[in-house]
Amino acid sequence: MNSAARFASFFAVLVTLLPMAGFCQELKAQETGLYRDMFDQGIYYESTGLLHLDRLYRTLFRKEARSRDVNAFDEVPDNSFFINRHGRKSLTSDDLERGYTETPMDLSGPVSVVKGKSEGLHPGFFVRDTAGNNYLIKFDSFDYFELATAAEIISSRFYHAIGYNVPQYDVVTIGADQLQVGENASIIDDTGFKKPLNSEKLEEFLLFVPRDTDGNFRVSASKLLKGENKGFFNLTSRRKSDPEDAIDHEHRRDVRALQVFASWLNNNDTREGNTLDMLVEEDGRRYLKHYLIDFNSTLGSAAKGAKPPMFGYEYFFDGGETLKTFFTLGLLEKPWQRRWRESGEKITTSPALGYFDNSGFRPDKYKVQLPHFAFKNLTKADGFWAAKIIKSFSDGDIRAILGTGKLSSSEDVDYLAKTLVERRDIIAKYWFEEANPLDDFTYSGDKLSFADLSVKEGFASAENTRYVFDVIGKQGNKGSRLATVENGAPALQIQQDWFSQAQTLDILVRTLRGGKSLPPVLVEVNADQILGILHQD
Amino acid sequence: MPKKTLFILLSLTLSAQAAYAQGTEYDRYGRVYRDGAAPSSDRNAATDFLTYPLQILRWPINKTMVFVEKNHVDTRIEWAYDSLINRGITPHLGLVNPVKGHYGLEVDWVRLANQRNRFPDWKANSWIYGSKDIYFQVGSELGWQDVTGSGLGASGMVQYEKRPEVHFNGIGPNSSAGDGTSYKMETTTLGPKISYDPRPTVSGDVFFNYKNVNITNGEDGGRGIIDEIFAGQNIPGLAGDELLSLGTEWVHDTRNHRELSTRGGERRLAFSYNEGIAGSDARYFKYETELSQYLRLASERRVLAFHFHGEHNDEINNGTVPFHQMAQLGGFSGRPRNSQTLRSYDYNRFYDESSVLFNVEYRYAIWENREFRVDSVLFWDEGQVFGEFSEFKLNNFRESYGLGFRLSVANVVLLSLEGAHGDEGTKVYVKSRTPF
């Protein structure tokens, strides 16, 4: 056999066996970290992306890939990644504040340090409370008291209300003498080696974390999750060994939409290392539950302090931005550079807020620190879906959640509320203009009605809006156009004689606004009910 | 085709796949799918096969990344490095051209003996540097520094240096690249020095040195022997020299960073009297001046950097200037090389009693993340060697121009990649520093 034939045989075996390998695996714990994430997303996937023929095809022909986890009504049914919460029905202030809570940390007695936290960039400990429950506690950076802890709790509440699974997070105050070294406690110190933790070492460590005015420690405490830890979940592909994980994650709307939610909460650290799969048993069912974790790099916070000015604007390795600057000889001022210059190259807000404002913010330009195909695949329909969830948070809802951050200054709370409300509206306006923002379809048999969210939210006026309905009668697989109706109101009167010619109707609704025709929404109805809704890209 | 028709066709296509929801309720969040069954991914084998060989390469990299992070290998290395420095041992690693490692170690004996607090003024340092086929250097310095905070210091130094393959193409601006020879130079230097550093920006010293320079054939063997190639030409110093030097050097440094400075500059003036002994007929004054200036162009991200180097060696009383102590141009200056930056030319390409050199660089940041940064640099080098001032001619200037990229962290260059072009071809440099 010559070498070419040998190579061809090897390649054929490889191509056959590799895809099968996934199905043969058990649910093994997958490991990742910042370095692997940076290599995978920043280098490997970026350089090999177009070797995936479907991506190549979509890139060459500018085709969108519709999300595959949506139902017939263009919504994401509840699943192990996402449960419709606030977007489905407004949660009460109490629910929003409570978030996901099992049992509050028991601080009636000592809190034992079990070991030091060795992953990530924020200092912390694994501790056991008086009731014997285990938590991960993390401190603020010395010069940024309240920043990371508030960001973590606030964002965890938002993600939970949006619909994602998150651990229990709370801001907790621990007395200076309450933290004690537990039996066989250990720590990875600044040598990188594991050392036994004793009282002296603990005191030494605590010298470098800030305290409140009473000398107590303010921490973010997350309760360790129940179940078997199976590591991170991939943001691109599915876990083939999980029979319930049927759709590649880059084609899941609930994964793609993380990009939009990240733009709202300034979570530029949205990456695989900040996800977690737990094998849990609930209601007699054993399944893999997918969590988002680690939110202390959200809002104005980043590891070790305020967000650096380029965060949210560029990937860690950003070839496009780098080439742009290279070819313009550094003369082109980037938006983040302009924003930083305009603020005098310093942070003008309180240390508890870090660096977070809406100056130069553009929802379509927001970047998390590593590129992910899931986020690049985001379609207008996906963006609209995420934006309407974001818009479902009222000003009061936002304030209710901000209260959980326990910021000591009401001015800081006001600033955050103002920034998040503004950003919510910027995001909603953008996506409501990109997609056709028609929602809340109702059908009574003789009338199809809906809400135009742009008009409803005050982004557009009803007077300047027209709706064009193309009615197509369907009989089996055959269809014929029955009528075209233009209307100034968000409703269509159904003429019963249409059903004499067809079993079902496909109604394409276009919205004409500002001289622009928005992508159509397809609504399928029969004489009794709505059968399907589809927002086009 | 009219738009309406397009919509109708689109509708037909979509609805052809639709299976109707069952039941009478419109369950907006229900598990009701357009094709009747829960969707699944059907790609992979058919579309991803080109990536499988690459995934085999990715696997060990992923494992290594996870291992490094999980076991804090990076933290351990950083700790080990810092611990060595705190104990008085400073390791150096770098790149020289061609891509070769440059290693070194400096030892502060006072700190190593844990006596720095007791004897803050004492200076007892040793060093060793090397790079295969390029140079090897070992030395020690013993004395006092900044005595009682006055800025005054005094020390004695001894150093041995070997350069096995120093290139030589003749003397003068019109020497030919084809006349390539190389020589091996071993230099032993010892002598006292008085230094004065009154302010952080100003330093100066006065020195007296004995220097033994031994010249033999280059070790690379690929270049001609100097005596044969330049037979009949009176090249001073071919047999080596023993020199006594008395000199002074003053530096005024207002740069904001030692590398990648964005403002300020450095001015260096040096003068020495050099006298050959033990049969050497060398006798000359050496004048040297070096200026660099960094101009920030409305932002820390754009800097125009200027550099000038001038050197003149002036024979006195019928003495000579040994060729190995002459001004030298070519390559990328700084340790371990002793020739000034003219990047499209070979190291030590031009020798003569005098030289002038201008370098201009436009440096601009093209990528930043926290303290990491990549600068792009466009540069132009213009220099010439000449004998007496009367021999200086504008049309003897040689130029290099090119482009480079420098990766740095906290304004310390980790990696520099530069390509330069000139009338003798193109050269590429992989370095871990800037030329000025």
Side-chain angles (χ1 to χ4, degrees):
Chain A
M1 194 187 283
N2 64 28
S3 58
R6 237 182 252 144
F7 176 76
S9 312
F10 170 73
F11 195 70
V13 170
L14 202 67
V15 167
T16 313
L17 291 182
L18 269 180
M20 292 169 65
F23 295 106
C24 304
Q25 287 173 6
E26 291 176 12
L27 281 175
K28 284 185 183 166
Q30 307 178 136
E31 285 184 304
T32 191
L34 180 61
Y35 296 166
R36 179 180 166 177
D37 280 356
M38 286 169 80
F39 170 75
D40 272 358
Q41 310 303 332
I43 299 171
Y44 179 79
Y45 285 126
E46 278 293 275
S47 48
T48 64
L50 293 182
L51 293 177
H52 295 265
L53 299 181
D54 56 339
R55 273 193 211 125
L56 180 65
Y57 169 77
R58 289 203 308 271
T59 306
L60 289 177
F61 297 100
R62 294 177 175 273
K63 299 281 184 192
E64 301 283 358
R66 285 193 60 80
S67 290
R68 296 178 191 167
D69 59 337
V70 293
N71 66 10
F73 307 108
D74 224 359
E75 294 288 348
V76 177
D78 293 352
N79 60 73
S80 53
F81 288 84
F82 186 88
I83 294 167
N84 291 281
R85 294 195 180 103
H86 201 61
R88 179 180 209 152
K89 185 186 173 190
S90 289
L91 300 177
T92 64
S93 293
D94 285 346
D95 289 337
L96 291 168
E97 285 169 24
R98 193 181 308 111
Y100 174 69
T101 300
E102 291 174 6
T103 48
M105 195 173 187
D106 185 349
L107 295 165
S108 58
V111 175
S112 303
V113 177
V114 179
K115 66 173 181 174
K117 166 181 172 279
S118 58
E119 282 89 22
L121 293 166
H122 277 85
F125 291 117
F126 287 94
V127 299
R128 187 167 297 135
D129 71 358
T130 315
N133 292 313
N134 293 314
Y135 293 84
L136 169 62
I137 61 170
K138 286 182 273 184
F139 300 86
D140 287 303
S141 300
F142 199 85
D143 295 326
Y144 294 90
F145 189 55
E146 297 183 348
L147 174 62
T149 49
E152 179 130 86
I153 275 64
I154 290 168
S155 295
S156 75
R157 293 293 192 278
F158 274 116
Y159 275 108
H160 180 260
I162 287 166
Y164 293 97
N165 300 311
V166 299
Q168 172 188 321
Y169 279 100
D170 284 302
V171 171
V172 169
T173 301
I174 300 177
D177 51 359
Q178 218 171 344
L179 267 181
Q180 295 180 2
V181 177
E183 203 177 335
N184 299 323
S186 63
I187 189 169
I188 309 259
D189 64 9
D190 55 3
T191 66
F193 291 94
K194 190 176 174 180
K195 304 272 176 65
L197 181 66
N198 54 32
S199 304
E200 290 75 33
K201 267 197 187 300
L202 179 63
E203 275 176 32
E204 191 184 314
F205 176 89
L206 294 174
L207 283 176
F208 297 97
V209 297
R211 300 181 186 216
D212 65 16
T213 47
D214 298 324
N216 298 320
F217 299 110
R218 175 191 155 101
V219 300
S220 71
S222 58
K223 190 161 186 277
L224 298 197
L225 291 164
K226 290 175 190 162
E228 271 178 60
N229 183 337
K230 295 296 180 186
F232 72 100
F233 68 80
N234 197 305
L235 291 176
T236 305
S237 57
R238 66 190 193 271
R239 198 193 279 255
K240 295 188 181 81
S241 52
D242 178 8
E244 293 193 21
D245 198 359
I247 303 166
D248 277 332
H249 299 169
E250 65 170 304
H251 295 306
R252 295 190 67 93
R253 177 173 284 175
D254 44 24
V255 173
R256 290 178 180 184
L258 284 171
Q259 159 74 16
V260 184
F261 300 126
S263 72
W264 187 33
L265 300 172
N266 208 14
N267 185 5
N268 79 307
D269 201 23
T270 304
R271 57 184 175 87
E272 291 175 352
N274 288 331
T275 66
L276 185 62
D277 277 355
M278 297 297 289
L279 186 60
V280 297
E281 191 162 343
E282 288 176 1
D283 304 325
R285 189 166 78 94
R286 199 167 151 80
Y287 71 104
L288 212 51
K289 194 169 179 179
H290 311 281
Y291 285 87
L292 302 182
I293 57 169
D294 206 350
F295 305 103
N296 49 17
S297 289
T298 58
L299 305 178
S301 173
K304 298 177 181 172
K307 263 197 168 58
M310 68 287 296
F311 278 26
Y313 290 83
E314 289 186 7
Y315 299 129
F316 186 85
F317 306 112
D318 201 319
E321 289 295 319
T322 304
L323 284 175
K324 207 190 292 176
T325 321
F326 171 68
F327 285 116
T328 54
L329 302 177
L331 299 172
L332 182 80
E333 190 176 42
K334 298 176 183 177
W336 69 262
Q337 291 170 342
R338 183 166 53 249
R339 173 183 172 226
W340 187 232
R341 177 176 54 78
E342 285 171 355
S343 69
E345 302 201 343
K346 63 184 177 201
I347 294 165
T348 51
T349 48
S350 129
L353 298 172
Y355 191 42
F356 184 41
D357 59 38
N358 294 322
S359 166
F361 170 71
R362 282 186 54 180
D364 55 327
K365 299 290 181 190
Y366 187 85
K367 287 179 180 172
V368 296
Q369 68 170 321
L370 297 170
H372 291 93
F373 283 112
F375 303 162
K376 290 180 181 177
N377 287 345
L378 186 84
T379 63
K380 290 172 181 173
D382 299 330
F384 168 67
W385 176 82
K388 71 182 180 184
I389 294 177
I390 289 175
K391 191 58 187 163
S392 71
F393 287 86
S394 68
D395 296 6
D397 295 337
I398 290 171
R399 281 196 164 272
I401 288 181
L402 289 178
T404 61
K406 297 183 181 171
L407 288 160
S408 52
S409 159
S410 61
E411 288 173 2
D412 289 349
V413 177
D414 291 344
Y415 179 90
L416 269 185
K418 180 173 167 289
T419 309
L420 282 171
V421 165
E422 271 176 15
R423 193 171 275 223
R424 174 199 65 191
D425 291 344
I426 294 169
I427 291 169
K429 187 169 187 295
Y430 173 80
W431 286 109
F432 290 179
E433 285 171 358
E434 285 294 299
N436 196 345
L438 310 185
D439 199 38
D440 296 330
F441 286 87
T442 55
Y443 181 60
S444 63
D446 59 354
K447 189 178 178 188
L448 176 72
S449 311
F450 50 87
D452 182 336
L453 296 190
S454 274
V455 173
K456 185 181 168 188
E457 301 297 347
F459 300 142
S461 73
E463 291 75 36
N464 294 333
T465 304
R466 306 282 301 167
Y467 305 97
V468 178
F469 303 85
D470 285 309
V471 183
I472 297 134
K474 297 287 297 295
Q475 193 79 41
N477 284 334
K478 290 181 182 173
S480 59
R481 189 160 62 83
L482 301 178
T484 297
V485 180
E486 189 168 333
N487 204 343
L492 173 70
Q493 206 65 44
I494 304 292
Q495 296 177 25
Q496 290 309 308
D497 65 326
W498 290 345
F499 285 110
S500 63
Q501 304 168 54
Q503 287 175 326
T504 61
L505 302 177
D506 283 1
I507 303 167
L508 275 169
V509 190
R510 282 176 292 141
T511 303
L512 307 176
R513 190 150 44 218
K516 189 178 158 190
S517 176
L518 297 175
V521 178
L522 170 66
V523 185
E524 301 169 63
V525 298
N526 63 14
D528 303 317
Q529 62 178 1
I530 294 175
L531 302 171
I533 298 166
L534 190 67
H535 287 80
Q536 298 293 333
D537 296 311
Chain B
M1 193 182 292
K3 264 187 172 178
K4 281 182 186 173
T5 316
L6 271 176
F7 286 133
I8 292 164
L9 284 173
L10 176 67
S11 162
L12 291 173
T13 311
L14 290 167
S15 55
Q17 302 169 12
Y20 296 145
Q22 300 300 307
T24 55
E25 289 182 7
Y26 160 38
D27 182 3
R28 186 170 170 175
Y29 299 97
R31 292 175 176 271
V32 182
Y33 297 97
R34 299 188 69 79
D35 57 3
S40 64
S41 288
D42 49 4
R43 69 169 183 85
N44 285 347
T47 58
D48 296 358
F49 65 92
L50 288 176
T51 65
Y52 293 146
L54 296 168
Q55 284 183 24
I56 292 172
L57 298 176
R58 176 187 161 217
W59 183 83
I61 298 174
N62 277 177
K63 289 287 174 194
T64 307
M65 296 281 178
V66 171
F67 179 85
V68 166
E69 193 166 348
K70 194 176 173 186
N71 294 286
H72 308 275
V73 175
D74 49 344
T75 313
R76 291 178 189 187
I77 291 171
E78 194 181 338
W79 167 77
Y81 182 78
D82 289 344
S83 299
L84 280 174
I85 290 174
N86 288 336
R87 283 166 174 73
I89 300 169
T90 306
H92 292 272
L93 278 177
L95 290 167
V96 293
N97 198 58
V99 186
K100 283 181 180 175
H102 164 234
Y103 58 86
L105 197 70
E106 285 178 29
V107 181
D108 177 342
W109 295 103
V110 181
R111 192 180 286 274
L112 189 64
N114 211 15
Q115 299 294 318
R116 179 51 73 203
N117 290 336
R118 216 170 140 201
F119 304 109
D121 305 341
W122 285 21
K123 187 189 227 179
N125 298 335
S126 297
W127 59 87
I128 183 168
Y129 290 105
S131 183
K132 191 173 180 299
D133 301 333
I134 297 175
Y135 91 132
F136 171 78
Q137 188 187 81
V138 59
S140 283
E141 189 177 11
L142 192 65
W144 296 268
Q145 60 188 4
D146 194 20
V147 178
T148 62
S150 64
L152 272 170
S155 60
M157 182 270 281
V158 58
Q159 176 181 287
Y160 167 79
E161 183 182 272
K162 182 174 86 168
R163 294 177 179 272
E165 298 166 15
V166 186
H167 295 173
F168 181 67
N169 299 73
I171 296 173
N174 299 313
S175 59
S176 167
D179 291 337
T181 64
S182 76
Y183 60 92
K184 174 178 167 183
M185 181 165 82
E186 291 174 280
T187 309
T188 307
T189 311
L190 60 98
K193 181 174 80 174
I194 295 170
S195 57
Y196 181 51
D197 303 336
R199 296 199 302 271
T201 54
V202 176
S203 64
D205 56 53
V206 177
F207 59 87
F208 177 71
N209 280 343
Y210 163 78
K211 194 182 281 185
N212 182 330
V213 183
N214 190 28
I215 303 289
T216 52
N217 285 333
E219 286 181 359
D220 53 347
R223 300 172 73 91
I225 298 167
I226 297 179
D227 303 288
E228 292 173 6
I229 300 280
F230 299 101
Q233 296 183 28
N234 185 22
I235 295 174
L238 266 182
D241 291 275
E242 286 186 53
L243 300 168
L244 288 177
S245 303
L246 176 64
T248 183
E249 180 179 87
W250 290 87
V251 178
H252 180 223
D253 187 355
T254 57
R255 294 172 297 174
N256 60 345
H257 305 294
R258 287 185 69 84
E259 292 185 296
L260 302 178
S261 183
T262 58
R263 63 189 76 192
E266 186 182 31
R267 294 105 202 155
R268 188 171 69 86
L269 288 171
F271 164 76
S272 62
Y273 168 72
N274 304 275
E275 171 88 31
I277 57 169
S280 167
D281 56 3
R283 184 173 301 137
Y284 62 99
F285 289 123
K286 183 184 274 286
Y287 307 90
E288 206 178 346
T289 181
E290 188 168 14
L291 308 168
S292 60
Q293 191 67 38
Y294 304 88
L295 300 177
R296 176 181 179 275
L297 301 178
S299 164
E300 294 286 318
R301 299 184 187 92
R302 293 183 293 270
V303 173
L304 204 53
F306 298 95
H307 177 251
F308 167 78
H309 180 268
E311 181 175 345
H312 177 57
N313 294 280
D314 192 16
E315 306 107 328
I316 44 176
N317 296 337
N318 296 320
T320 60
V321 181
F323 81 98
H324 46 79
Q325 300 297 313
M326 286 180 175
Q328 295 166 34
L329 290 183
F332 194 104
S333 69
R335 192 197 298 272
R337 306 291 186 172
N338 50 11
S339 105
Q340 294 294 321
T341 300
L342 198 55
R343 277 166 271 201
S344 71
Y345 295 90
D346 191 13
Y347 283 103
N348 312 91
R349 170 65 184 83
F350 299 104
Y351 287 68
D352 212 331
E353 291 178 2
S354 311
S355 71
V356 288
L357 170 73
F358 301 91
N359 308 101
V360 182
E361 291 191 349
Y362 173 55
R363 303 169 177 175
Y364 61 101
I366 56 171
W367 172 82
E368 292 167 81
N369 197 287
R370 289 186 179 270
E371 292 187 310
F372 290 91
R373 172 168 157 159
V374 172
D375 281 296
S376 180
V377 53
L378 300 170
F379 59 82
W380 187 282
D381 306 329
E382 194 80 43
Q384 71 165 291
V385 293
F386 53 95
E388 297 303 322
F389 287 116
S390 59
E391 294 168 15
F392 173 83
K393 289 178 185 166
L394 282 177
N395 57 8
N396 277 345
F397 269 113
R398 300 294 187 103
E399 56 275 329
S400 301
Y401 51 88
L403 168 72
F405 299 97
R406 293 172 185 156
L407 169 68
S408 61
V409 58
N411 297 302
V412 175
V413 174
L414 299 178
L415 188 67
S416 162
L417 179 68
E418 299 182 17
H421 184 73
D423 64 359
E424 290 187 2
T426 301
K427 292 218 175 292
V428 174
Y429 298 90
V430 182
K431 294 281 185 181
S432 41
R433 58 184 175 75
T434 57
F436 61 93

